[in-house]
Amino acid sequence: MKILMVITSHDQLGNTGRKTGFWLEELAAPYYVFKDSGAEITLASPKGGRPPLDPKSNEPEFRTDLTLRFEADAAAEAQLDKTVRLDSVKQEDFDTLFYPGGHGPMWDLAEDKDSVKLIESFLAAGKTIAVVCHSTGALRHVKTPDGKPLVEGKEGTSFTNGEEEDVGLTNVVPFLVEDEMLKLGAAFSKTANWGVHVVSAGQLITGQNPHSSGPAAQTLLAALAKKAKSAA
């Protein structure tokens, strides 16, 4: 199993002067779901090289056993140091695609043409993909083969307006992911703020927040296993 994980390269939190990037738990938790299942993981980002970590995601209250495991894992850290450039990857080389979140994707991946094309190519090839938290925002320009917004009429989730309010960034982010999904015609689904919530809708799996990232990865692996079984 070959899995491509796409991480943000954006490190500025709007005009606040504060740093952002990817959220550590949202990389570490899925990474080990995949790695412990024997999958081969490739990390990519728009700029390549080491992507920016949201410093807040490594504060004591947000550390988990898996974030600590990642930081102590020399091979994982070496991979993170050398993410491949997003414009160099092709869907033919992978079985699936996973987007960890953090606030960074709202600025780069949401607007990145290579990212949009990549997601569309996975879906056109009949492959199942997963996005979590703010990375659901990376779907805003993704279209189905017949030109409709990918999320139109589909059930899905993302970081919610309530969660954005909780972290005090409602007026900092370029758009609110929940509002954007609703505007595009998604059947938006959510649970209580910070609760675990994963939605599976055909080829698209979405997770609500950092705590949903590991479960979203497990849901993705289960979907791939089921598909492989039915193809056998």
Side-chain angles (χ1 to χ4, degrees):
M1 176 80 66
K2 292 188 173 177
I3 298 175
L4 178 63
M5 296 182 79
V6 177
I7 306 166
T8 182
S9 289
H10 183 86
D11 71 349
Q12 295 298 315
L13 191 59
N15 302 320
T16 62
R18 293 178 1 231
K19 292 287 189 191
T20 188
F22 70 91
W23 196 261
L24 187 53
E25 182 183 1
E26 294 180 48
L27 173 63
Y31 184 89
Y32 288 114
V33 168
F34 300 145
K35 190 166 177 124
D36 294 346
S37 76
E40 188 183 310
I41 303 162
T42 299
L43 304 180
S45 64
K47 293 180 180 171
R50 190 163 187 106
L53 171 70
D54 185 321
K56 201 165 179 57
S57 71
N58 206 11
E59 289 177 358
E61 64 190 293
F62 298 117
R63 286 185 188 139
T64 67
D65 289 347
L66 293 174
T67 67
L68 295 170
R69 179 180 168 190
F70 193 95
E71 292 203 295
D73 183 337
E77 284 288 338
Q79 257 194 297
L80 190 61
D81 258 346
K82 297 189 174 72
T83 66
V84 299
R85 282 178 59 104
L86 190 54
D87 60 10
S88 74
V89 294
K90 299 197 284 292
Q91 69 80 14
E92 294 85 352
D93 298 333
F94 301 96
D95 298 298
T96 187
L97 180 63
F98 189 98
Y99 275 57
H103 279 88
M106 304 278 290
W107 282 273
D108 64 352
L109 294 172
E111 305 303 327
D112 190 295
K113 289 181 172 58
D114 293 314
S115 173
V116 171
K117 279 197 304 223
L118 186 70
I119 294 170
E120 289 176 347
S121 68
F122 270 83
L123 296 168
K127 294 174 180 176
T128 303
I129 68 161
V131 297
V132 292
C133 202
H134 288 94
S135 274
T136 302
L139 303 177
R140 74 188 302 207
H141 298 304
V142 176
K143 303 272 199 292
T144 60
D146 56 3
K148 291 197 178 99
L150 170 68
V151 299
E152 188 181 303
K154 269 198 185 65
E155 193 184 350
T157 190
S158 73
F159 203 64
T160 66
N161 291 355
E163 288 165 332
E164 204 66 84
E165 204 169 300
D166 270 1
V167 298
L169 294 173
T170 302
N171 299 317
V172 172
V173 290
F175 61 96
L176 292 166
V177 193
E178 178 180 336
D179 284 355
E180 185 70 10
M181 292 302 108
L182 288 166
K183 194 172 96 186
L184 291 168
F188 195 81
S189 164
K190 62 184 170 181
T191 190
N193 290 0
W194 313 107
V196 172
H197 187 51
V198 176
V199 177
S200 194
Q203 288 173 261
L204 179 64
I205 292 163
T206 49
Q208 181 171 317
N209 49 35
H211 309 319
S212 308
S213 57
Q218 287 160 341
T219 303
L220 178 59
L221 282 187
L224 295 172
K226 192 174 166 192
K227 204 169 162 193
K229 207 171 170 185
S230 63

